[in-house]
Amino acid sequence: MATVKSSQNSLFKDLLVLSRFTKYNPVFTTFAGAFSCLLGGSAVVGPGSDVSLAWVFQQTALTVAACYAFCGAGMVWNDYIDRDIDANVARTKDRPLASGKVSTAQAMAWMAFQIIACWWILYFMLEGQDVNKNMFPAALGSFLYPYGKRPTMRKFYIYPQYILGFTIAWPAVCGRAAIFHGRESYAETVTASMPLLNMVFFWTIFLNTAYSYQDVVDDRKMGVNSFYNVLGKHVHLLLWLLLIPVAVCIPMYIEQFHSAWLWVSWAGVWALSLLRQVLRFDANDPSSGGGVHVDNFLLGAWTVVACAVELLRCYYA
């Protein structure tokens, strides 16, 4: 009996590892939704409003939970498709599917459970409105992402960073929908979310390119399709170029809130942090990408706090 329980515990731990729930990486997928939901809430709370602070925080928590669960499912799918590649890369050879610790049947069942959980969270959060419209784009991106790494995709100028960037940025729409469903049409929600969606899209490409550069030696041997394999030592120039749309989209998004706090805590802090990151990155030292990844996680976490402060400021104004 003890052996069976030990085996079940081991499987559960391996499933958590498979979804990256033992790491901070899945939290990246929640940032766009949290930013959008908190600042969307700041636009509708305040004197005379019937929107409570507790409701906005509830909607934010649900947005984060849905993104987190769906990311877990996406990680399973990625590792399922990449299991043969992962087995030949030093950094990924011990992943549960690549190493055989989790079977494909177990992985698929775990993935399905997380997808269903995400759908139900969105259904409750959006009161049944436009649930599939909010979920389908991220589902399509997650499905296509591992295929974007294949060398044949290079012929069509498709790189996995494009797909990943879109998938992580899409929750900006879901976060706004959590606040404005019933107040505006789905098309209006998407349009209003575009500056934030584009910002997170290019930011994700920036941080993923820097982070994934750690695998450049193994990836080149296997012909993995990626920006850094195409550009080689020019990858540093690419990182500089990716900062331009980020720098443009942040002001476009926060300008609508007329908040000095956001200009300092978001635009100001991001400008200093991203400049520091790109200056620290060394194309001759692939390991330098790891530090960039950590810095961006801290930057995203700080911005969630900054948006929460803006919500509180507007509520108590």
Side-chain angles (χ1 to χ4, degrees), residues 258-285:
H258 308 290
S259 169
W261 163 250
L262 289 178
W263 281 103
V264 174
S265 65
W266 190 334
V269 171
W270 276 59
L272 293 175
S273 178
L274 292 176
L275 180 61
R276 174 176 172 272
Q277 290 173 38
V278 78
L279 289 173
R280 267 181 35 186
F281 181 84
D282 183 358
N284 295 312
D285 177 17

Side-chain angles (χ1 to χ4, degrees), residues 34-47 49 51-53 55-57 60 175-176 179-180 183 253-254 256-259 261-262 266 306-317:
F35 301 163
S36 184
C37 197
L38 289 168
L39 291 186
S42 73
V44 297
V45 298
S49 172
V51 176
S52 71
L53 195 63
W55 182 79
V56 175
F57 280 123
T60 303
R176 182 174 176 88
I179 300 297
F180 287 95
R183 296 171 179 265
Y253 181 64
I254 65 176
Q256 64 183 295
F257 300 103
H258 308 290
S259 169
W261 163 250
L262 289 178
W266 190 334
C307 292
V309 171
E310 174 66 8
L311 172 64
L312 292 171
R313 188 189 70 80
C314 292
Y315 182 78
Y316 291 109

Side-chain angles (χ1 to χ4, degrees), residues 11 20 143 164 166 209 222 226 241 251 253 271 282 303-304 308 310-311 317:
L11 175 60
R20 310 293 195 276
F143 175 79
L164 181 67
F166 172 79
T209 298
M222 292 184 293
S226 187
L241 293 175
Y253 181 64
D282 183 358
T303 308
V304 171
E310 174 66 8
L311 172 64

Side-chain angles (χ1 to χ4, degrees), residues 30-111:
T30 70
F31 286 148
F35 301 163
S36 184
C37 197
L38 289 168
L39 291 186
S42 73
V44 297
V45 298
S49 172
D50 60 350
V51 176
S52 71
L53 195 63
W55 182 79
V56 175
F57 280 123
Q58 170 198 288
Q59 295 298 87
T60 303
L62 290 171
T63 301
V64 168
C67 294
Y68 197 78
F70 196 82
C71 175
M75 292 293 188
V76 176
W77 177 250
N78 176 78
D79 285 10
Y80 170 73
I81 299 299
D82 282 355
R83 59 193 185 281
D84 294 331
I85 295 176
D86 287 345
N88 293 290
V89 176
R91 187 175 63 86
T92 59
K93 62 184 178 65
D94 292 325
R95 286 178 175 174
L97 271 170
S99 63
K101 296 175 184 176
V102 173
S103 71
T104 54
Q106 290 167 334
M108 292 300 99
W110 175 235
M111 182 180 73

